[in-house]
Amino acid sequence: MVKAVAALGEVPPYTAPVDGPSYHMTPDEFRRVGAELVDWVARYWEGVEDLPVLSQVEPGWVRDQLPPHPPQTGEAWPEILADLDRVVVPGLTHWQSPNFFAYFPANVSGPSVLGELVSAGLGVQGMSWATSPAATELETHVLDWMLDLLGLPDRFRSGGRGGGVIQDSASSATLCALLAARERAGGAQRLADLRAYASVEAHSSVEKAARIAGLRPDQFRLVGVDGSRAMDPGALAAAMDDDAAGGGVPFFVVATAGTTSTTAFDPVAALAEPCRRHGAWLHVDAAMAGSAAVCPEFRFVNTGADVADSWCLNPHKWLFTNFDCDCFWVADRGPLVAALSILPEYLRNQATESGSVVDYRDWQIPLGRRFRALKLWFVIRHYGAEGLAHHVRRHVALAGEFADWVDRHSRFELAAPTRLNLVCFRHVDGDPASRRVLDAANASGRIHLTHTRVDDRLVLRLSVGQTWTERRHVEAACDLFDALA
Ligand code: PLP
């Protein structure tokens, strides 16, 4: 019986029986229901292509299907499973439909989902090496493997000064890079003087990272782009020189290898020159396009990796590994660990004190961390380098075929070069016609695609990358656009 301490006031004695009935699912029940759920997911994948890609529900519909209050007593599993079909599936936009061409993909695969299942079942917190050596060492090893798979330079390898870590997202990778850069530039004491840069085409996560790190709007500059929408190195150099002349400290530049709007590539090697002069950290956001490097013929996406301070890409976009999984490498882990390491007494352990292990809590924002390497490990071992390259190559080829179709069509035109798996196009009659086609295509339920603005004109983005997208899906998209033209 627990007696409340006086300072907290009197609370009734705790009298619940400690050895009463258990409400837990037994391992046997888990085995049975789990098998049913694996089957449910497999059937979902088999049938997803026939579902309207964009969810058709009105705001509030999902909540209206749910009881206002939680159940007092546990429910039977058949009822819970039935609600997946009744409530959840209609309220989904089907990112795993082969007719999903919106945003960038977030593709999944059997091996990755099984890895996720094992990770959840093991339920380890891999915050320190000591809290689960396998979680840490497998991650370090798989991130080294990824360098081989992608043809990225050895400077990011764990055996030297660098190393890789899995972040939840490219947004977090950019934030961590910025914090490492801030550390290298003198830490938070210098904050008021620091200046960061990215191109006007950079992902919004870069600006968010700058805000989170406490930079004022005037400390984060968006640099102009050239005709191919790549950052202009002359404009970057001028902005950095200008800031330095005014007493500022240029400390951080984000180059994008494959922008979100049009897959433009910043000239990383040329951007490195002013970075070197000013001692600024050069981070490369290759969130989407970086995965293309699994195909040796697309390794142009890695250009400049040998001079970058850090690099990230998202297997959770285009490498058949379900969200969340961002690979983030640094050439020198010192400033990153210095920026993020705090060792309270309750986390002290012999391995950490020995200095001979990696504690990934010092490489990320939160303390706790999931065993994400498992799913990436399963994916790499299932597909092999050959399988990954085969499927990425196929996506690029399908995007190329769609771009050729647009090019031949009298009512549509390409709005940017198709460098990999993203096709940017528009209606020749201008924005209202492009908008009409976009809205009608999405309302049809047959495909889902999104838009951007290029040169202040509305542009449709067709992004090929869902795991099960085949030529017939792209051809069906062509038929639909033809009918809407
Ligand atoms: N960077 C680029 C170039 C992107 O295209 C995206 C998302 O599409 C991101 C960053 C953000 O990715 P995440 O959701 O992993 O933060």
Side-chain angles (χ1 to χ4, degrees):
M1 193 166 80
V2 176
K3 192 85 176 92
V5 289
L8 294 179
E10 279 300 318
V11 294
Y14 181 72
T15 54
V18 290
D19 45 6
S22 169
Y23 293 79
H24 294 310
M25 181 180 253
T26 64
D28 241 11
E29 270 181 294
F30 175 77
R31 187 174 289 120
R32 191 175 43 73
V33 179
E36 266 183 65
L37 266 174
V38 168
D39 184 54
W40 186 90
V41 173
R43 276 187 286 114
Y44 172 72
W45 287 345
E46 283 166 347
V48 67
E49 103 167 68
D50 299 323
L51 300 175
V53 190
L54 192 60
S55 176
Q56 310 284 299
V57 303
E58 297 293 329
W61 182 89
V62 174
R63 292 197 64 181
D64 285 346
Q65 309 312 305
L66 302 170
H69 302 293
Q72 179 62 24
T73 54
E75 298 180 57
W77 271 93
E79 287 167 39
I80 301 172
L81 297 189
D83 278 353
L84 285 178
D85 290 312
R86 186 181 68 86
V87 183
V88 176
V89 172
L92 294 178
T93 287
H94 298 287
W95 285 70
Q96 303 317 320
S97 165
N99 300 311
F100 183 95
F101 299 106
Y103 309 102
F104 278 144
N107 64 20
V108 306
S109 66
S112 93
V113 173
L114 293 174
E116 189 74 69
L117 177 65
V118 177
S119 168
L122 297 178
V124 301
Q125 276 287 350
M127 53 203 178
S128 309
W129 179 89
T131 62
S132 254
T136 297
E137 293 196 18
L138 191 68
E139 185 161 328
T140 305
H141 204 74
V142 165
L143 272 277
D144 278 353
W145 274 10
M146 285 292 289
L147 298 175
D148 296 333
L149 281 169
L150 297 162
L152 282 168
D154 283 345
R155 63 206 305 260
F156 295 133
R157 212 167 275 281
S158 62
R161 292 169 63 198
V165 59
I166 299 181
Q167 301 279 346
D168 56 4
S169 61
S171 306
S172 292
T174 299
L175 175 58
C176 288
L178 189 150
L179 297 175
R182 186 179 75 180
E183 186 71 20
R184 197 174 76 175
Q189 308 86 287
R190 299 285 304 277
L191 187 62
D193 299 329
L194 301 180
R195 301 288 185 272
Y197 311 81
S199 94
V200 290
E201 294 287 322
H203 191 264
S204 56
S205 53
V206 184
E207 182 178 344
K208 198 181 222 182
R211 273 203 228 168
I212 294 170
L215 298 185
R216 300 180 311 267
D218 65 293
Q219 289 178 275
F220 173 58
R221 287 178 62 158
L222 290 176
V223 178
V225 292
D226 63 16
S228 71
R229 321 204 74 73
M231 199 193 306
D232 175 350
L236 174 69
M240 294 173 91
D241 293 348
D242 188 42
D243 283 340
V249 178
F251 83 112
F252 185 58
V253 174
V254 177
T256 310
T259 59
T260 314
S261 265
T262 64
T263 326
F265 286 83
D266 290 343
V268 180
L271 303 178
E273 194 279 319
C275 289
R276 207 167 23 241
R277 260 192 308 114
H278 290 283
W281 183 290
L282 179 55
H283 172 65
V284 179
D285 173 5
M288 172 66 203
S291 293
V294 292
C295 303
E297 70 271 31
F298 300 141
R299 295 229 167 124
F300 67 88
V301 303
N302 291 345
T303 307
D306 50 334
V307 288
D309 290 293
S310 52
W311 190 274
C312 80
L313 62 95
N314 285 352
H316 70 223
K317 281 187 163 52
W318 197 16
L319 225 45
F320 314 103
T321 307
N322 61 288
F323 192 88
D324 50 353
C325 185
D326 167 272
C327 295
F328 173 56
W329 291 274
V330 287
D332 178 4
R333 56 186 177 269
L336 177 67
V337 172
L340 298 175
S341 173
I342 297 177
L343 184 58
E345 187 55 36
Y346 43 82
L347 291 178
R348 283 188 186 279
N349 63 81
Q350 249 183 357
T352 294
E353 316 254 333
S354 77
S356 61
V357 298
V358 168
D359 287 330
Y360 275 131
R361 64 191 163 78
D362 298 339
W363 296 53
Q364 62 171 26
I365 307 295
L367 168 66
R369 64 195 324 271
R370 303 178 336 99
F371 193 171
R372 297 192 195 90
L374 265 176
K375 60 187 172 190
L376 189 54
W377 190 47
F378 278 15
V379 166
I380 295 171
R381 295 183 67 184
H382 170 87
Y383 286 93
E386 184 183 286
L388 292 172
H390 170 81
H391 289 286
V392 165
R393 189 175 284 135
R394 213 161 75 165
H395 287 151
V396 175
L398 290 176
E401 290 176 16
F402 181 74
D404 288 344
W405 178 85
V406 169
D407 214 22
R408 288 194 306 272
H409 203 284
S410 60
R411 314 296 296 148
F412 294 113
E413 61 190 9
L414 292 169
T418 302
R419 295 185 181 87
L420 290 166
N421 60 334
L422 174 68
V423 184
C424 294
F425 67 110
R426 61 193 167 214
H427 198 285
V428 291
D429 290 347
D431 285 5
S434 295
R435 168 60 66 186
R436 178 182 55 73
V437 171
L438 176 68
D439 291 346
N442 284 328
S444 76
R446 287 158 58 187
I447 67 170
H448 182 32
L449 79 168
T450 47
H451 73 280
T452 186
R453 289 199 87 80
V454 176
D455 295 330
D456 211 25
R457 292 180 65 182
L458 184 74
V459 165
L460 283 65
R461 294 169 73 265
L462 186 124
S463 164
V464 183
Q466 202 288 318
T467 309
W468 297 291
T469 299
E470 295 174 5
R471 179 174 285 126
R472 66 192 171 87
H473 302 106
V474 175
E475 285 174 352
C478 293
D479 291 345
L480 178 62
F481 290 125
D482 205 25
L484 297 173

